[in-house]
């Protein structure tokens, strides 16, 4: 009994230490505001740690790197991968290109888990002066552009599998130019897959309809409305997965 108690206390200490590291590196709220661009990222975990995470970093005078990722599974393992990949972002030399970073992340996860755990994500390189944007959509797919009164679905490449499934990958980039007033929105599957007591999902048409209705509001207001609407809608039903929301608004 004493041995079991000792091991239990030791594990509790290790878990608390891991959670402190996770919360120090993986932030719930991120934002950037300049004359040309506004970026808002938010994550709400289903537990104390999780697999959703976002990252934003200026990589040159005019360029920013922005990412939203979701690690398969939940809990501490997913949270530790979030910490490891976020650390890779911080240390990476972006002069070598986002392509190389994605390959490194894929190799790291595949070497550890041989395809049993994987990561879906969107990796964005944006030039804030010109609005030119490069996107690697690695199995994420929930990416939309709001332009005036239209919602444009971002088409991902069929070759871009989630990271960690294949040993070697050749990610394909998509490029386009954001126009003044455009807003890009992306979210993790915790949003549309959340169910209510009637087992109905808070599906993508509902999310996009709300975002379109309040598209001219501040991004903080849009974020608050989406989270509050989901909480009201799932009333009485526990949050089933981590939820993340990323928005980018371009101003000419």
């Amino acid at each position: 009994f004493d041995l079991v108690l000792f091991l239990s206390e030791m594990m509790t200490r290790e878990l608390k230490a891991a959670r402190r590291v996770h919360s120090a590196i993986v932030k719930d709220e991120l934002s950037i505001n300049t004359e040309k661009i506004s970026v808002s990222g938010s994550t709400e975990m289903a537990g104390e740690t999780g697999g959703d995470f976002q990252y934003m970093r200026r990589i040159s005078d005019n360029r920013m790197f922005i990412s939203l990722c979701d690690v398969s599974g939940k809990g501490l393992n997913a949270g530790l991968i979030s910490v490891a990949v976020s650390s890779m972002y911080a240390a990476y030399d972006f002069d070598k290109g986002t392509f190389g970073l994605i390959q490194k992340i894929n190799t790291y996860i595949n070497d550890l888990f041989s395809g049993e755990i994987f990561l879906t994500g969107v990796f964005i390189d944006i030039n804030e002066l010109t609005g030119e944007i490069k996107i690697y959509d690695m199995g994420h797919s929930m990416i939309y552009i709001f332009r005036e009164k239209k919602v444009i679905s971002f088409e991902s490449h069929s070759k871009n599998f989630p990271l960690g499934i294949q040993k070697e990958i050749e990610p394909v980039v998509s490029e386009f130019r954001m126009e003044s007033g455009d807003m890009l929105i992306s979210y993790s599957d915790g949003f549309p897959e959340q169910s209510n007591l009637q087992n109905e999902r808070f599906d993508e048409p509902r999310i996009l309809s709300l975002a379109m209705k309040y598209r001219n509001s501040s991004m903080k207001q849009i974020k608050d409305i989406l989270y509050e609407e989901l909480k009201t809608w799932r009333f009485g039903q526990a949050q089933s997965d981590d939820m993340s929301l990323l928005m980018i608004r371009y101003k000419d």
Side-chain angles (χ1 to χ4, degrees):
F1 176 82
D2 289 343
L3 178 59
V4 170
L5 183 60
F6 169 76
L7 292 174
S8 175
E9 291 175 348
M10 184 175 67
M11 182 176 292
T12 299
R13 289 195 299 271
E14 294 295 326
L15 288 172
K16 286 181 177 179
R19 288 172 183 138
R20 284 197 298 271
V21 172
H22 181 271
S23 61
I25 295 176
V26 180
K27 302 297 183 183
D28 294 337
E29 299 279 346
L30 294 171
S31 66
I32 296 175
N33 288 288
T34 71
E35 292 183 2
K36 291 281 190 177
I37 192 171
S38 296
V39 186
S40 171
S42 57
T43 299
E44 190 168 304
M45 300 296 184
E48 291 188 58
T49 60
D52 278 20
F53 65 101
Q54 302 184 53
Y55 188 86
M56 303 176 192
R57 173 183 163 189
R58 182 172 293 282
I59 55 178
S60 74
D61 289 343
N62 303 323
R63 290 167 57 216
M64 292 183 189
F65 171 74
I66 304 164
S67 176
L68 182 157
C69 294
D70 181 4
V71 181
S72 63
K74 302 180 182 68
L76 189 57
N77 282 342
L80 292 177
I81 294 174
S82 303
V83 169
V85 174
S86 295
S87 299
M88 293 172 71
Y89 288 158
Y92 186 70
D93 179 3
F94 279 91
D95 289 340
K96 297 179 180 178
T98 307
F99 181 94
L101 171 64
I102 294 172
Q103 287 184 317
K104 284 181 178 293
I105 296 170
N106 180 76
T107 299
Y108 169 75
I109 297 175
N110 184 266
D111 285 350
L112 281 177
F113 302 105
S114 302
E116 293 182 7
I117 293 179
F118 57 88
L119 177 153
T120 63
V122 52
F123 304 83
I124 300 172
D125 181 337
I126 183 168
N127 186 315
E128 64 174 309
L129 290 184
T130 65
E132 293 174 313
I133 187 168
K134 299 178 181 180
I135 296 184
Y136 290 92
D137 175 19
M138 307 307 296
H140 187 76
S141 77
M142 290 165 284
I143 310 169
Y144 298 92
I145 303 292
F146 287 73
R147 179 168 291 171
E148 296 178 348
K149 295 184 179 180
K150 296 181 180 178
V151 181
I152 304 168
S153 175
F154 182 85
E155 297 295 332
S156 60
H157 287 277
S158 59
K159 293 182 179 180
N160 287 1
F161 292 100
L163 303 185
I165 293 178
Q166 297 179 312
K167 194 165 188 64
E168 296 182 0
I169 60 169
E170 292 291 329
V172 181
V173 68
S174 297
E175 302 183 47
F176 67 94
R177 185 188 297 270
M178 292 189 77
E179 299 178 0
S180 181
D182 280 0
M183 184 174 72
L184 181 150
I185 183 170
S186 184
Y187 41 83
S188 63
D189 57 9
F191 263 99
E193 293 182 1
Q194 175 65 50
S195 61
N196 62 10
L197 291 174
Q198 287 72 46
N199 204 31
E200 301 166 329
R201 291 189 172 188
F202 196 78
D203 54 22
E204 289 202 84
R206 189 188 304 269
I207 296 168
L208 297 175
S209 176
L210 284 168
M212 173 61 77
K213 181 178 179 180
Y214 297 101
R215 67 190 182 281
N216 294 322
S217 303
S218 70
M219 290 198 294
K220 182 182 184 306
Q221 289 176 311
I222 297 171
K223 179 205 74 175
D224 290 344
I225 287 167
L226 284 172
Y227 278 101
E228 287 302 319
E229 286 284 339
L230 188 146
K231 286 178 182 178
T232 300
W233 181 84
R234 70 172 177 85
F235 179 75
Q237 184 76 298
Q239 181 179 334
S240 59
D241 198 1
D242 305 330
M243 301 184 299
S244 289
L245 175 66
L246 172 67
M247 292 180 287
I248 303 173
R249 178 173 281 159
Y250 186 70
K251 302 166 283 186
D252 196 355

